Amino acid sequence: MCLPVSSQTHDNAANSSLSASGEPSHQPQPIGQGLADLHQTRDDVVAEVMKAPKRRVDNVITHLSDSAHLLLTHARIIEEVSSQYRKTAREGMLKEAGVLTLGLGLAAAGTYGGILPAEIAGGAVATSVLCAGGLKWFHTSELRALEERLTDSEGLGSAFRRTHAREVGEADEYAASVWQRIRDPLRMSLASVGLANIASVSESEINELRQMIDEDIPALRRLASPTHFGTKK
């Protein structure tokens, strides 16, 4: 061990000096103190090294928790916007089917009942098909415009405020940071894939994610809590 020159000089002087009675003087021994400090530092380093595996496990659990929060926010917002899209699409299909069915049914009833001539019944069928086609075109345009509104920044922001009303009301900074991280990637993903091709997220799947965040991850943290290694005295 290399000691400062001043310490070595002082140490030599202390070791060579004796009292008048021939007894050693009771001056401090810097080398002994330095060795004790060295041993203490070594024990501290060993303790920190022993903690490293536990810390790595804790980092993995933290990453898992962060990923679960990201996935849950993704799922809730996607389900919010896609459910609105599916509802509008379903209502449009029902209207189209209703118009077509009504026209064909009236034409068939009039023809078989002898109420309407075949020419008028055929015209009714053609009119029904045209009306259903017109509704189909109108609903397709409506769905396209609705998808653009739902998947732009303002639409996704509204969906986040609806699905995370409590967090927004409490000014939850973590929820806000998660939203800031996924907002742009989510918008680009929805724009490229399309809401019509997004599978619905069931309530049971969302509950499983919540259970993972609320119960499973805290249990893992308790199992992987680092042991506090003491230092050697």
Side-chain angles (χ1 to χ4, degrees):
M1 177 177 179
C2 295
L3 296 174
V5 176
S6 60
S7 297
Q8 293 177 351
T9 304
H10 180 72
D11 180 57
N12 292 333
N15 289 333
S16 60
S17 61
L18 297 174
S19 63
S21 61
E23 296 180 356
S25 61
H26 298 284
Q27 296 183 8
Q29 305 295 325
I31 291 181
Q33 184 63 39
L35 290 175
D37 292 342
L38 180 60
H39 285 300
Q40 182 66 40
T41 303
R42 182 199 62 184
D43 293 341
D44 292 341
V45 171
V46 170
E48 293 300 319
V49 170
M50 296 297 291
K51 293 178 185 178
K54 296 292 185 180
R55 286 175 177 164
R56 285 196 293 270
V57 171
D58 188 66
N59 291 338
V60 171
I61 296 174
T62 300
H63 181 70
L64 173 63
S65 176
D66 186 64
S67 299
H69 279 93
L70 289 173
L71 182 58
L72 178 60
T73 305
H74 262 99
R76 294 177 67 184
I77 294 177
I78 286 177
E79 181 59 23
E80 174 68 20
V81 296
S82 62
S83 63
Q84 294 184 47
Y85 181 87
R86 290 194 301 269
K87 179 181 178 182
T88 303
R90 185 167 54 250
E91 290 175 351
M93 291 178 62
L94 289 175
K95 290 177 182 178
E96 297 162 14
V99 169
L100 187 59
T101 301
L102 179 61
L104 294 177
L106 290 176
T111 300
Y112 287 110
I115 301 174
L116 296 175
E119 295 80 2
I120 297 178
V125 171
T127 302
S128 299
V129 172
L130 288 175
C131 289
L135 279 175
K136 177 66 175 177
W137 175 84
F138 173 77
H139 290 146
T140 300
S141 302
E142 184 182 36
L143 280 175
R144 190 178 299 113
L146 176 63
E147 183 174 9
E148 291 177 357
R149 292 196 305 270
L150 290 175
T151 56
D152 62 13
S153 297
E154 183 178 352
L156 292 176
S158 298
F160 173 75
R161 289 189 291 273
R162 289 193 301 271
T163 56
H164 296 75
R166 180 176 61 82
E167 290 84 350
V168 172
E170 296 176 355
D172 190 325
E173 294 183 0
Y174 182 72
S177 67
V178 170
W179 168 237
Q180 292 294 327
R181 290 165 59 188
I182 71 169
R183 180 180 57 188
D184 292 336
L186 178 61
R187 179 177 55 81
M188 290 186 290
S189 297
L190 292 178
S192 62
V193 175
L195 290 178
N197 301 317
I198 297 293
S200 62
V201 182
S202 66
E203 188 66 25
S204 62
E205 291 172 328
I206 292 179
N207 289 335
E208 287 179 3
L209 284 173
R210 286 174 172 159
Q211 180 181 358
M212 179 183 296
I213 293 172
D214 297 336
E215 299 178 14
D216 297 342
I217 292 177
L220 286 175
R221 288 195 186 280
R222 289 191 294 270
L223 289 174
S225 58
T227 303
H228 297 285
F229 293 92
T231 57
K232 185 177 180 180
K233 299 295 184 181

